[in-house]
Amino acid sequence: MQTKILPASDPSAIEEAARILREGGVVAFPTETVYGLGANGLSAESCRKIYKAKGRPSDNPLILHLSNLSMIGRVVREVPLKAQDLLRKFTPGPLTVILPRNRDVPDAVTGGLSTVGIRIPSHEIARKMIAAANVPIAAPSANIAGRPSPTTAEAVKRDLDGRIPLILDAGPCQWGVESTIVDATGEIPVILRPGAITREEIEALIGPVQVSPTFPRDAADKAVPRAPGMKYRHYAPKAPLTVLEAPADVWFEEVTKFLRETRGQGKDVALIASEETLHALDVDLPSSRVYSLGSRENLEAIAAELYRALRFFDDDIPEEIFIESFPEGGIGLALMNRIRKASGGRSLQFNDGIWEEVVL
Ligand code: TXA
Ligand code: MG
């Protein structure tokens, strides 16, 4: 199959996408978070094409995307009060709410669960396309399962070329990390996946919430609900990724020493780091082995760069990629969640004068 990329600014491109969706096909489209791979969310057969194109395990449910809140009655049985508050305040926008589904939602969307994830994207192209298709659109991120989510049409093409008929191109995504997923069906709401809407913003509106641990360890961790998809390895670049962690006062000095030593051993390593770190480090890494995420002063911009960074070394693959760690407040929680997942929990921590290997 030939994969076309069409500029989403052309109204006939949106019409063509909507036609493909109505006829049961799949289309990649932009959202404010990452590019999605959409299909008619009321058709099991159409949704199966998503799983096939991505190579996604069938027990990992899909989010249903609506063009506006009035569509919600077509797929959801009831909306609990806290979920209503969240939807009113944060949608359209980068939030997904887990709700009891109704019988029209096929098992192919929910992996057999009694709930369904609902999201109303704020991206104008996404909403126009869904409105034109006039059905809820099931859409995961438009990457091969396990890879970093695509934040540009080119990244979608890298993964799905020849597997899907059409990619709508609207340039880079605004947030660059996926939506925050909140399960508000139980007593205490749970953030199943941190995202662009922060824990702080959510708690200011509906009170205390729990957050699913990135890697559940003990019984208490395991008692907090998780999204089925979060048990899989995610966002992985082709080279192994390791998070570097050291106290702020020795960071530049110790990372410089560490990288010099590693390079001295002849190891082909790459570094993903903030502008501040790259500026202060005294290591002569070639430019093909460095990716700047931008200033630490702007964690939103860093989050928006992350998936591009994780894909940057996929053509000319180094032996290992090291990445800086960031504070977990605000969008930092989503940023570190994705970095930890991408690294498979591997980090090097500088403690008491030595670098220690830690696997979370
Ligand atoms: O920003 C986003 O949410 C993007 C764009 C395209 O909208 N979509 C996205 O979808 O990230 P995906 O499929 O890559 O991630 C959806 C996550 C998975 O971890 C899945 O397990 C979880 O949502 N999920 C879906 N339905 C669920 C449900 N009923 N209960 C719990 N978790 C659910
Ligand atoms: Mg995904």
Side-chain angles (χ1 to χ4, degrees):
M1 174 188 311
Q2 186 92 22
T3 302
K4 259 199 299 197
I5 300 191
L6 293 179
S9 53
D10 177 357
S12 71
I14 296 180
E15 249 330 297
E16 181 166 350
R19 181 183 54 77
I20 294 172
L21 292 167
R22 281 193 303 266
E23 289 171 359
V26 296
V27 169
F29 65 100
T31 82
E32 70 279 19
T33 57
V34 299
Y35 276 74
L37 180 61
N40 178 350
L42 299 180
S43 155
E45 198 191 326
S46 304
C47 290
R48 273 186 223 110
K49 293 183 187 169
I50 293 178
Y51 287 92
K52 184 156 178 258
K54 281 187 59 119
R56 179 174 174 118
S58 62
D59 67 344
N60 190 1
L62 306 173
I63 295 170
L64 286 184
H65 295 64
L66 314 179
S67 55
N68 60 63
L69 211 45
S70 64
M71 258 178 138
I72 206 167
R74 287 165 72 173
V75 286
V76 157
R77 241 179 325 111
E78 58 162 311
V79 186
L81 282 177
K82 284 183 179 169
Q84 287 182 28
D85 290 345
L86 290 170
L87 286 165
R88 237 184 320 229
K89 169 98 181 174
F90 298 118
T91 66
L95 177 79
T96 296
V97 181
I98 304 295
L99 295 168
R101 65 146 162 169
N102 74 18
R103 277 196 224 114
D104 292 335
V105 180
D107 283 341
V109 167
T110 67
L113 296 177
S114 61
T115 54
V116 63
I118 298 294
R119 164 153 147 69
I120 302 157
S122 60
H123 199 293
E124 204 192 327
I125 301 301
R127 294 177 70 195
K128 278 190 180 153
M129 184 195 78
I130 301 164
N134 195 24
V135 282
I137 296 297
S141 48
N143 51 280
I144 293 285
R147 303 255 304 128
S149 300
T151 55
T152 60
E154 294 73 47
V156 176
K157 193 161 162 69
R158 281 295 304 261
D159 274 21
L160 299 179
D161 197 20
R163 294 168 175 247
I164 60 174
L166 177 61
I167 303 169
L168 286 183
D169 183 357
C173 300
Q174 177 197 345
W175 291 100
V177 287
E178 301 85 346
S179 62
T180 307
I181 304 180
V182 183
D183 183 344
T185 58
E187 188 98 327
I188 304 174
V190 186
I191 295 180
L192 299 179
R193 178 178 71 186
I197 303 288
T198 64
R199 173 187 194 159
E200 293 85 344
E201 289 174 289
I202 290 170
E203 290 194 321
L205 184 72
I206 60 168
V209 299
Q210 291 183 296
V211 180
S212 294
T214 310
F215 302 103
R217 263 165 299 196
D218 52 22
D221 277 357
K222 286 182 184 134
V224 183
R226 280 210 296 165
M230 297 313 267
K231 67 174 176 279
Y232 295 107
R233 175 124 197 252
H234 264 91
Y235 321 118
K238 291 185 177 161
L241 180 76
T242 303
V243 184
L244 291 180
E245 294 172 87
D249 55 330
V250 297
W251 166 259
F252 297 121
E253 186 189 331
E254 291 304 333
V255 172
T256 294
K257 268 200 250 166
F258 170 76
L259 288 175
R260 279 190 176 175
E261 209 165 287
T262 315
R263 295 257 299 152
Q265 291 159 2
K267 194 165 173 182
D268 176 17
V269 297
L271 179 67
I272 299 174
S274 68
E275 203 52 64
E276 287 85 347
T277 291
L278 294 175
H279 188 75
L281 282 188
D282 194 8
V283 187
D284 61 340
L285 282 168
S287 62
S288 65
R289 287 295 179 246
V290 177
Y291 194 100
S292 171
L293 291 170
S295 171
R296 276 180 77 88
E297 300 291 307
N298 186 349
L299 286 191
E300 275 183 10
I302 287 198
E305 278 297 317
L306 178 68
Y307 291 146
R308 238 194 311 270
L310 293 178
R311 287 172 172 269
F312 182 74
F313 302 104
D314 277 354
D315 289 325
D316 175 14
I317 307 170
E319 277 173 71
E320 189 165 7
I321 305 169
F322 295 106
I323 188 165
E324 182 171 343
S325 62
F326 298 91
E328 295 200 338
I331 189 106
L333 188 66
L335 174 64
M336 282 313 294
N337 170 277
R338 304 309 191 274
I339 289 178
R340 299 266 183 228
K341 289 254 172 205
S343 69
R346 264 192 325 277
S347 72
L348 279 173
Q349 300 184 357
F350 189 79
N351 284 318
D352 300 328
I354 54 161
W355 288 96
E356 242 178 324
E357 266 184 53
V358 176
V359 182
L360 297 176

